Amino acid sequence: MANKVFVSHGDIILDKVYDGDLNLIKEDGGGSNWNSLYNLSYIGETCYAVGSCGNDREGELAISSLTNFGVNTDFVKRGNFKTDIMNIIIPRKTGLGDDSIIHTWYSPITNKRTLFFREDLPVLLPKEILDREIYVLLDKFEPINLEFINNIPNKKLCLDIGHYRFIEHFSKQYLTNFFKKANLVQLNDNVRSLLFERLQIQDESQLFNLLDLDLLVITRGKKGASFIFRENGNIVCIDKSPDVIAEVVDSSGAGDAFFATVIKEYAYSDFIDSNFVNNTFGIANKASRDVISQLGSRRT
């Protein structure tokens, strides 16, 4: 039995993908944390989903999108409510940029909200894995997520801060207390300025120090990523740029594939240095290219 276990927590989400004429062209599992968990299971890691999902058709699709690739969903609570849906609209144009895809919490057909995020989530990890080396992936920072991670004694917490809307309503103190529990943070460059303003810090090194992290990664889309870590007592920042720029079919899920790779390399590395950064970036960038070169947010 593998000693390392990767876990995520929250609402199970279904992606509905529309073309520029609002024709539904694909339905598949979604949600950044679940995409990352899927990617880890896809490459052979032991993964558990803990959360909630509706008993409707959308819920069956979202659950099967995880179980079909090896994610354990035995600890997902099912209920008589609608499964959360993220609506993705791909514009009718070529040469898409990283921000060209529209992600909305509202159906483009009915204009009704389809993504709500429930608060009555399970907060206990299955006892069968509590003595394992646990890596928790989160992309949301609600009190219910905090309760969940506080119930796990033996863990490494990996946070993906990729969306403005998931941090805008929290106070500086709440975010600081939550993020200080993290060991690894991936920060999307699009929300960098908001987070720095909220935490009243000036740069990446100050954030790294404030949170006392093992690794901070700033993703910058086609421009690459920055890796911040400590070596011989000094903070080191290494900027990496991709050698190959992939043609974008659908940019959804690129950061999630990158995050999953960073977590995998972090989990199996004894220390972080320039060799770690070079190797991790190469593998993570390829995983991202694989995702954006196809329709949908997950490698298939």
Side-chain angles (χ1 to χ4, degrees):
M1 180 181 291
N3 185 51
K4 299 181 191 299
V5 178
F6 300 84
V7 177
S8 196
H9 180 250
D11 300 87
I12 307 296
I13 295 172
L14 183 72
D15 280 354
K16 290 195 173 186
V17 184
Y18 298 84
D19 64 17
D21 295 316
L22 301 186
N23 297 306
L24 181 63
I25 54 178
K26 185 168 185 176
E27 294 178 296
D28 199 1
S32 292
N33 57 327
W34 304 121
N35 293 339
S36 296
L37 196 70
Y38 168 98
N39 285 317
L40 284 160
S41 186
Y42 182 89
I43 57 178
E45 297 302 323
T46 301
C47 297
Y48 282 75
V50 180
S52 70
C53 184
N55 281 324
D56 51 9
R57 169 186 167 275
E58 286 78 9
E60 290 300 324
L61 289 173
I63 287 289
S64 63
S65 73
L66 294 171
T67 56
N68 288 347
F69 286 87
V71 176
N72 186 311
T73 60
D74 292 345
F75 303 94
V76 174
K77 181 175 69 174
R78 306 297 296 274
N80 294 322
F81 50 84
K82 291 184 178 180
T83 297
D84 280 354
I85 295 170
M86 175 65 81
N87 305 283
I88 302 170
I89 305 170
I90 301 179
R92 288 173 291 175
K93 61 180 180 179
T94 58
L96 296 175
D98 294 338
D99 301 319
S100 298
I101 309 300
I102 299 169
H103 295 76
T104 173
W105 295 6
Y106 292 82
S107 167
I109 307 301
T110 66
N111 294 319
K112 293 182 179 180
R113 183 164 174 169
T114 59
L115 197 62
F116 295 94
F117 302 119
R118 300 177 60 82
E119 295 183 356
D120 56 340
L121 302 174
V123 293
L124 296 177
L125 202 59
K127 293 181 180 179
E128 65 191 67
I129 63 173
L130 283 177
D131 61 345
R132 314 268 286 277
E133 188 177 337
I134 300 168
Y135 291 79
V136 181
L137 295 62
L138 290 179
D139 70 332
K140 298 173 190 67
F141 318 108
E142 299 293 333
I144 193 70
N145 304 125
L146 182 61
E147 183 178 355
F148 175 71
I149 61 176
N150 283 340
N151 286 328
I152 307 173
N154 177 34
K155 65 178 179 296
K156 296 284 188 179
L157 179 59
C158 306
L159 303 182
D160 180 14
I161 309 173
H163 297 282
Y164 170 90
R165 56 182 172 259
F166 294 145
I167 62 174
E168 62 180 340
H169 56 289
F170 291 122
S171 69
K172 170 190 174 182
Q173 192 60 56
Y174 177 86
L175 289 174
T176 301
N177 291 341
F178 197 122
F179 294 167
K180 277 187 174 182
K181 296 178 180 293
N183 303 91
L184 186 161
V185 167
Q186 177 170 295
L187 173 63
N188 187 302
D189 199 35
N190 293 330
V191 298
R192 175 183 176 276
S193 59
L194 171 73
L195 181 64
F196 286 9
E197 178 183 347
R198 185 59 51 85
L199 298 183
Q200 297 178 345
I201 59 175
Q202 301 300 317
D203 55 34
E204 291 87 350
S205 295
Q206 193 174 354
L207 178 63
F208 181 86
N209 258 335
L210 174 67
L211 304 184
D212 192 24
L213 298 169
D214 294 333
L215 177 63
L216 171 63
V217 180
I218 314 292
T219 58
R220 309 186 192 279
K222 290 182 179 180
K223 297 179 180 178
S226 299
F227 292 74
I228 298 95
F229 57 96
R230 195 178 301 276
E231 189 173 32
N232 299 322
N234 299 314
I235 295 177
V236 178
C237 178
I238 297 179
D239 298 323
K240 299 293 294 183
S241 299
D243 295 326
V244 178
I245 303 296
E247 180 179 350
V248 178
V249 174
D250 178 359
S251 61
S252 306
D256 308 329
F258 197 96
F259 188 48
T261 305
V262 171
I263 293 171
K264 166 71 180 293
E265 296 304 309
Y266 169 71
Y268 286 93
S269 297
D270 294 327
F271 52 87
I272 299 171
D273 58 10
S274 59
N275 289 331
F276 167 90
V277 171
N278 293 334
N279 179 66
T280 298
F281 180 76
I283 301 172
N285 187 55
K286 182 182 183 304
S288 294
R289 291 203 311 270
D290 290 344
V291 170
I292 66 175
S293 299
Q294 64 178 30
L295 186 66
S297 58
R298 297 177 180 178
R299 287 181 289 178
T300 56

